Amino acid sequence: MQDINASIGFDRKMWRQDIRGSLAHAAMLAHVGIITAEDERAIREWLAGIAARIEAGDFPWDEALEDIHMNIEARLTEAIGEAGKRLHTGRSRNDQVALDVRLWVRDAIDGLTGQIEDVMRALVEQAEAHAATVMPGFTHLQPAQPTTFGHHMLAYVEMLSRDRGRLADCRRRLNESPLGAAALCGTGFPVDRHMTARDLGFDQPTRNSLDAVASRDFAAEFLFACAMCATHLSRFAEEVVIWTTPYFGFVKLSDAFTTGSSIMPQKRNPDAAELVRGKTGRVMGALIGMLTVLKGLPMAYGKDMQEDKEGVFDAAETMTLCLAATAGMVRDMQPDAARLREAAGAGFSTATDLADWLVRELRMPFRDAHHVTGRLVARAEAKGSDLAGLSLAEMQAEEPRITEGVFGVLTVEASVASRACYGGTAPENVRRMAAEWRERLA
Ligand code: ARG
């Protein structure tokens, strides 16, 4: 029974939140006259002492005391007797644990938000440095149109800003205090739930005591926000893995973010990126685990809910690692501008620019321009050149009205510069957007 029942092995991670909650609860009990001021002072002083012992690593955790709540309360009572036993008046472990998990998730959100912003800042730094560094843009991982390295970095800034927004939404919704819901129906003691809510930084107390102890949708939301963010980091990591292969050679990572092989002396493996990609699985697993625990639970609390914690802790800690590693990699990454320029021009990447030129200059309907361009690509391919390598005569063999002017749109620089619509890849846009982000993140 003890082996399956005890949660102290993992829920001790919430000791700070548990003590914070008990301090607020005790202050309220004294305020409304349920306990005396002397009892409250004894509780406060001894909880501070317990916090110091835990911090110092010499707190005697006891499996037999089941969980963090009982471990702390038992030590408190050992020290101050009756006063310690009065702390749990008008409270149950059900609202206590609901409170602790909320506080823990709220703290985790605050930490992760700062880390997401750090990754965003690192991406913006690269975007500013490489606003005009051309590189291939892909669809289907096939060469599509030239873009810039800076534009590519800013795409991830947008994704991460939405991840940050999702965490903020989650924080806003979870920010209600369950304390005072007690076991499930509230308490007959004249507790002041508004006071404890205020003291703990909540916007208000929860409105329904059953919901307060039975709900963990805030944890599921948090895990979804983490899983989505992990997915974005994983896509980025996948690109780093591809880009650092010698076949691509788009970016270099220093020894700080690569490892060697124990047998192949030439290796530079992008382990950090691979692990960011690989760790996404456990974050997604935590989300599915949480939803699965909740899906069959009748009101109100059930011990199943003790299973909410490990996934949440692991996901948050995994995100901390992955965000730190990603920030490090982004700052470490050295794009190879010459290689990127060469790759950007390959694969007839300015074919769309040619078709657009035919539309603009010859007033050709786009579908016809698409066909003519297709034939010109085939010609260039047969000749073993790129589009700019065709002579004017060869171009005119497909479309007699083509003039010398067409060569002006076939370079990758012209291509990216022309895409100056809002949100487009043009270096001037990238510079403006990067500056905007830098200011917003300052
Ligand atoms: N360790 C428990 C949990 O994590 C605390 C709440 C226990 N409540 C109870 N009625 N047994 O859920």
Side-chain angles (χ1 to χ4, degrees), residues 58 61 67 69 103 117 210 212 247 310-311 341 411 426:
D58 78 340
W61 301 110
D67 55 26
H69 325 295
L103 289 173
E117 287 169 357
L210 298 176
Y247 309 107
E310 284 162 293
R341 169 73 181 70
T411 66

Side-chain angles (χ1 to χ4, degrees), residues 5-8 10-11 14 66-70 92-98 101 183 216 301-309:
N5 201 37
S7 54
I8 188 61
F10 49 87
D11 69 10
M14 306 190 301
E66 234 182 282
D67 55 26
I68 181 69
H69 325 295
M70 307 272 267
S92 152
R93 274 189 295 158
N94 295 351
D95 59 343
Q96 190 176 359
V97 73
V101 178
R216 294 291 186 272
Y301 176 86
K303 197 62 175 266
D304 319 44
M305 293 172 80
Q306 182 163 285
E307 291 295 313
D308 62 353
K309 290 169 204 62

Side-chain angles (χ1 to χ4, degrees), residues 15-25 103 106-107 200:
W15 67 267
R16 281 195 179 81
Q17 291 74 19
D18 197 71
I19 289 177
R20 224 192 295 165
S22 288
L23 288 170
H25 183 63
L103 289 173
R106 200 176 69 179
D107 290 344
L200 293 164

Side-chain angles (χ1 to χ4, degrees), residues 351-359 363-373:
T352 315
D353 300 270
L354 172 52
D356 288 350
W357 184 89
L358 296 171
V359 170
R363 309 215 142 269
M364 200 180 271
F366 183 77
R367 278 293 156 228
D368 295 342
H370 189 280
H371 280 128
V372 171
T373 306

